[in-house]
Amino acid sequence: MRIVLLGPPGAGKGTQASAIVKKYNIPHISTGDIFRANIKEGTALGVQAKEYMDKGLLVPDELVVSIVKDRLTKEDCKNGFLLDGFPRTVNQAEALDVELNAMGIKLDGVVNIEADSQILIERAIGRRICKECGATYHIKFNPPKFEGLCDNDKTPLFQRDDDIEETVATRIKVYENQTQPLIEYYDKKGLILNVDGIKPIDEVFNIIVKALEK
Ligand code: ADP
Ligand code: AMP
Ligand code: ZN
């Protein structure tokens, strides 16, 4: 299965990605996670990316595309992959098409998770993540068993630097201007699977699996 997850910030891409990759046994490729890992390690890429991320802006295409291209050539992508948060611009989508063509493969579907901005802001502001294992929680909608601690490894949970209201609002605008056009881009190719992201996490997952297996 070769899947792209599309949707505004806070729609539930990362949450659904974890469940989808488990079901299909494919790697989860999140460009946001890759940048956060680089920031944590203090690499040159991380330093560059952080400047854009903290403002809620997109990291320039040149930096993102080469990372994904490299990642897709790795052995574990042979039987499929899930791209989460990439592509985010038409330019990135075109670059991905060129790469997939060169590899002689095609996407199976582009899952578009929809939710309105009021919900997105509430979800993003309440999001807490585990830096150790990458698990995502929500203080209200998906709380950990013990407050502030990851269920998997008991690591203290952390709020992303870009999950403050003002930055989330910018990220939603950036999504509308630069990423939303991808819905039409992939719809023209017959790949879009629209999913109502307002439903509870388990329901959204069931809808996605049904759509992918149709
Ligand atoms: P994205 O990767 O699209 O930015 P996440 O998967 O990180 O979004 O989800 C954003 C926040 O919303 C997280 O705190 C997550 O626990 C919560 N969340 C995700 N899906 C749902 C849902 N269907 N209902 C309620 N809360 C959700
Ligand atoms: P995410 O974890 O998907 O919410 O991404 C967090 C931030 O990382 C975004 O707000 C961007 O600054 C940056 N980012 C992640 N993926 C991309 C991408 N494909 N193109 C440009 N910037 C990205
Ligand atoms: Zn953890």
Side-chain angles (χ1 to χ4, degrees):
M1 203 62 101
R2 300 187 184 94
I3 309 164
V4 166
L5 272 190
L6 209 59
K13 298 182 296 298
T15 302
Q16 296 302 329
S18 305
I20 296 168
V21 300
K22 226 183 248 166
K23 179 166 173 76
Y24 295 109
N25 195 25
I26 49 177
H28 176 187
I29 305 174
S30 156
T31 41
D33 284 351
I34 293 171
F35 289 135
R36 279 183 291 276
N38 275 273
I39 291 171
K40 196 176 160 197
E41 288 159 24
T43 68
L45 174 68
V47 172
Q48 270 180 299
K50 187 168 168 42
E51 232 183 88
Y52 297 92
M53 291 168 77
D54 282 350
K55 294 185 188 131
L57 304 175
L58 294 185
V59 175
D61 289 339
E62 312 84 83
L63 291 180
V64 189
V65 168
S66 57
I67 295 171
V68 176
K69 273 190 185 174
D70 280 355
R71 184 65 188 85
L72 289 177
T73 59
K74 296 268 167 6
E75 185 67 25
D76 65 343
C77 291
K78 275 242 160 70
N79 296 319
F81 50 78
L82 181 147
L83 288 169
D84 163 10
F86 180 93
R88 256 181 159 97
T89 63
V90 170
N91 194 24
Q92 290 178 17
E94 287 170 349
L96 175 63
D97 276 344
V98 170
E99 185 62 18
L100 294 178
N101 269 332
M103 294 170 77
I105 54 179
K106 285 198 165 93
L107 294 174
D108 293 300
V110 175
V111 176
N112 178 37
I113 307 181
E114 302 171 298
D116 59 62
S117 44
Q118 203 42 53
I119 283 194
L120 298 175
I121 290 175
E122 198 182 358
R123 283 191 186 169
I125 289 172
R127 168 163 47 195
R128 298 292 182 271
I129 60 168
C130 173
K131 277 190 176 175
E132 200 53 44
C133 72
T136 299
Y137 301 88
H138 190 282
I139 49 172
K140 206 157 107 194
F141 305 134
N142 184 26
K145 287 196 188 84
F146 301 99
E147 198 183 326
L149 297 178
C150 178
D151 291 350
N152 303 327
D153 43 43
K154 301 284 176 293
T155 303
L157 298 177
F158 162 90
Q159 183 170 22
R160 277 169 49 171
D161 292 340
D162 59 351
D163 277 343
I164 48 173
E165 184 158 358
E166 200 190 339
T167 315
V168 176
T170 304
R171 285 159 59 206
I172 293 171
K173 287 245 162 61
V174 166
Y175 164 82
E176 286 168 354
N177 292 330
Q178 296 184 258
T179 309
Q180 205 152 268
L182 291 184
I183 299 174
E184 198 188 330
Y185 180 92
Y186 284 120
D187 200 25
K188 279 188 182 148
K189 296 175 186 283
L191 286 171
I192 282 284
L193 306 166
N194 287 316
V195 171
D196 178 3
I198 295 178
K199 299 202 158 76
I201 294 173
D202 293 355
E203 273 183 53
V204 175
F205 177 64
N206 290 334
I207 297 169
I208 291 175
V209 170
K210 256 192 209 139
L212 284 171
E213 294 184 356
K214 226 190 208 159

